[in-house]
Amino acid sequence: MDIDIIKITMKQNPSKDIKGLLDKLSEINYMERGKLTAEYRTRPASDGSGEITLGPYYKLQARENGKNKSRRVPVRDVAILEQDIVNFKKFKDLVSKLENTIIDNTRNLRASESEKGDTTDAKKKLYEETLREKYNETEKFLEVARQQILSEGFDQSPEWLELGLRDALSRDACKIIETFLNDRNLFKDDEAPQALEARHKAREIKITTLFGKISLKRHYYHHRPSKTGRFPLDDKLGLEGKYSPALARLICRAASMAPSFEQGASDLLAFTGLDVNARQFGRVADAIAPGLKEALATITIPCPTAELEKEIPVLYVETDGTGTPMRKSELTDRKGKQKDGSAKTREAKLGCVFTQTRTDEEGNPLRDPASTSYVGTFEGCRDIAVLLHQEALRRGLGRAQKVVFLGDGAAWIWNNCKITFPGAEQILDYYHAGEYVVEIAKAVHINDEKKATALHERWRKSMKDSSPKKLITEAKRLLSKHPEWESSRRELIEQKINYLESHASRTEYGKYREKGYFIGSGVIEAGCKTVVGSRLKQSGMFWSKRGAENILDMRCLFLGSDLERVWAKRIELKIEQKRKARRWNPEDQAEAA
């Protein structure tokens, strides 16, 4: 049968009979061929009083592939099976009627076309009509715009023309992509049902794409024993709920990079003309972020590009933490800095990796452009160490000539460094060490601010040029020279001196500068503000741990260079997980077999 002729028939002379028959066929969800029989068996009674009748025992008999086959049917399934057999007979009758109706319509159309001309002309006319329909909205808008400009002149900004044309093109694009996605010659949806599954055809869903909302029809596979179902085509198309994959990625970007979900929704509306509820941003992020995190953990080698195949002169690793406001339910039994010992925040641990290949004319280090990537977590100290090491591997740790680890004085930072980056050059942040120098100077000249300022400026310059050894020696000499100082004053100075001495191996700043290294952890300090603070610490925000973790993970990913690899890997893992997913128990499988 000529499918094009049928399409032209439905286009030019739509048949209510055909539509009615198709509607009736779509109402049939379950059917079974064959004949259901019942048999009874007898056996002698145990007391010898006669015979006992057992049953009924049901069998389904059918002819399949030229052979007669039969199988037992449990009593609990008899009523359902009887209805399925009735449905099959009804289905055959409807198919026969549909076949006869289409043949009659085809004969009538061909007879009509033989009078008017060859059917090729009708096909060509239909194609031209369809093409015009695809760009109907754009043509309408352009005509209206022409008339308005001719009648009113062109005295105002053409912004309305650009925005109007964008909206018209989007409406036409919706029609085009809807036609494409519903073309089963392009996007197959013919997967055979698995055991104990029933296939329901042409189930409709409204999805939102980059251009707007469209309608998609696809098959639904229902597994009756477990009362679950699936849409294989949804997985093949990469749909994220009711959003297309391209739009879902945009929503994730806006959800993580904008200051809030509301701002993200506003930005999306301004950039694309799509009005998506701000609440959906959090839901889409919660659905996609865990898969991205899982995908990122599986990638531990650098991206195979020519740029990354070069040796890396210096690879820097930095880490720090910053508090993030949390809901009360997330802070139960957590110690904090409040007067009563409670906590209002939970620490987000952030790490970054970047590279340096050169210095400026004065020997100051220059960070390579676009070389910084981030990882973050709300878990423990060791978790950020693992994430940092994985990120360093992705960034080319194995090709780095030198690894430099920068951080402040927190003990967990240096413990992680010793375990995860044992061969790295450890540098205590110069500005962090400088704060201790300031406190020593203020304690020495407790009543003279000008002398204290002059002293700590001299000491800090000395420390930057070499190390804290000279200022420590001088501070100790001052302590010996002034035994009359109060014990609290002396204890403060001794405490700061002890701190600097404990980090003696990490404060050789003169040597580090000669080698052209950074001596300040400004990159991670700025990261705590830009990566964490500007998104998770806005006024009025209180997060769940899961929600904050998801946004932090995606924010780090969008700011890095591995987004494409990770996104593709997430889709690959998602397909594999669905393939392996068990959708029924062993008893069901045995029955199906």
Side-chain angles (χ1 to χ4, degrees), residues 11-286:
K11 176 76 176 179
Q12 299 180 349
N13 299 295
S15 171
K16 293 183 179 179
D17 294 336
I18 293 178
K19 187 177 184 303
L21 290 169
L22 291 173
D23 289 341
K24 290 179 181 180
L25 282 169
S26 66
E27 293 173 357
I28 300 175
N29 295 327
Y30 303 96
M31 60 183 180
E32 182 62 86
R33 63 161 59 90
K35 181 180 180 182
L36 191 65
T37 61
E39 64 178 33
Y40 296 84
R41 301 172 187 172
T42 60
R43 67 174 176 80
S46 58
D47 56 3
S49 59
E51 292 184 338
I52 297 176
T53 301
L54 303 175
Y57 297 96
Y58 292 95
K59 285 186 177 180
L60 178 66
Q61 297 177 323
R63 189 166 183 81
E64 296 180 2
N65 300 324
K67 296 181 180 180
N68 291 324
K69 295 185 178 181
S70 65
R71 66 178 177 88
R72 286 182 54 202
V73 178
V75 176
R76 67 177 184 275
D77 294 343
V78 169
I80 296 175
L81 196 57
E82 287 177 339
Q83 183 59 51
D84 291 347
I85 293 172
V86 171
N87 287 345
F88 180 69
K89 293 178 180 178
K90 182 179 177 182
F91 175 81
K92 289 181 66 178
D93 292 340
L94 289 171
V95 169
S96 178
K97 290 179 181 179
L98 179 63
E99 181 181 9
N100 292 331
T101 302
I102 292 177
I103 290 174
D104 291 341
N105 284 2
T106 303
R107 288 171 178 171
N108 293 335
L109 179 64
R110 282 178 172 161
S112 175
E113 290 296 336
S114 64
E115 298 174 1
K116 296 180 181 180
D118 189 71
T119 57
T120 304
D121 296 333
K123 292 180 181 179
K124 184 177 180 181
K125 183 179 179 182
L126 177 61
Y127 174 77
E128 292 174 350
E129 289 177 358
T130 304
L131 195 61
R132 283 197 298 272
E133 286 180 5
K134 284 182 178 179
Y135 301 101
N136 188 37
E137 295 289 338
T138 303
E139 292 294 340
K140 283 182 180 178
F141 171 78
L142 291 175
E143 183 59 32
V144 171
R146 287 190 193 100
Q147 295 299 328
Q148 182 174 335
I149 293 171
L150 289 173
S151 62
E152 300 179 7
F154 193 68
D155 298 330
Q156 55 180 320
S157 168
E159 180 182 358
W160 66 271
L161 180 62
E162 294 181 64
L163 294 175
L165 182 57
R166 181 192 69 179
D167 293 341
L169 287 168
S170 292
R171 290 193 294 272
D172 283 333
C174 278
K175 297 175 186 177
I176 295 170
I177 196 170
E178 182 176 87
T179 303
F180 261 73
L181 295 183
N182 283 291
D183 188 339
R184 293 299 158 256
N185 292 320
L186 296 174
F187 300 95
K188 303 293 184 183
D189 191 21
D190 54 1
E191 180 177 320
Q194 297 182 14
L196 301 178
E197 276 189 334
R199 179 166 59 190
H200 305 267
K201 296 185 177 181
R203 290 295 176 88
E204 187 175 16
I205 184 177
K206 298 288 185 181
I207 65 173
T208 307
T209 70
L210 278 177
F211 312 106
K213 290 188 177 181
I214 66 170
S215 176
L216 178 68
K217 290 184 178 181
R218 70 276 196 253
H219 297 337
Y220 173 67
Y221 295 75
H222 181 243
H223 182 247
R224 278 191 283 180
S226 66
K227 297 181 180 180
T228 59
R230 60 192 180 96
F231 292 95
L233 186 62
D234 288 11
D235 298 332
K236 292 177 182 177
L237 295 178
L239 299 185
E240 300 292 347
K242 293 186 177 182
Y243 298 101
S244 68
L247 180 56
R249 188 190 290 208
L250 270 187
I251 290 175
C252 287
R253 176 180 287 276
S256 58
M257 301 306 290
S260 65
F261 294 140
E262 289 76 14
Q263 185 62 51
S266 178
D267 290 345
L268 187 68
L269 178 61
F271 297 149
T272 67
L274 294 174
D275 188 4
V276 179
N277 190 292
R279 291 180 178 273
Q280 293 299 321
F281 280 59
R283 291 169 184 154
V284 172
D286 286 344

Side-chain angles (χ1 to χ4, degrees), residues 293 322-326 334 345-350 376-381 383-384 387 532 536-537 543-553:
K293 185 174 185 177
T322 181
T324 303
M326 289 283 173
R334 292 189 68 85
T345 63
R346 185 162 184 155
E347 188 175 49
K349 292 180 174 60
L350 188 71
T377 183
F378 282 86
E379 298 295 341
C381 302
D383 295 275
I384 189 62
L387 293 176
V532 181
L536 300 178
K537 299 171 72 171
W543 293 87
S544 67
K545 178 177 174 293
R546 186 188 71 169
E549 186 97 39
N550 288 339
I551 293 298
L552 180 58
D553 288 341

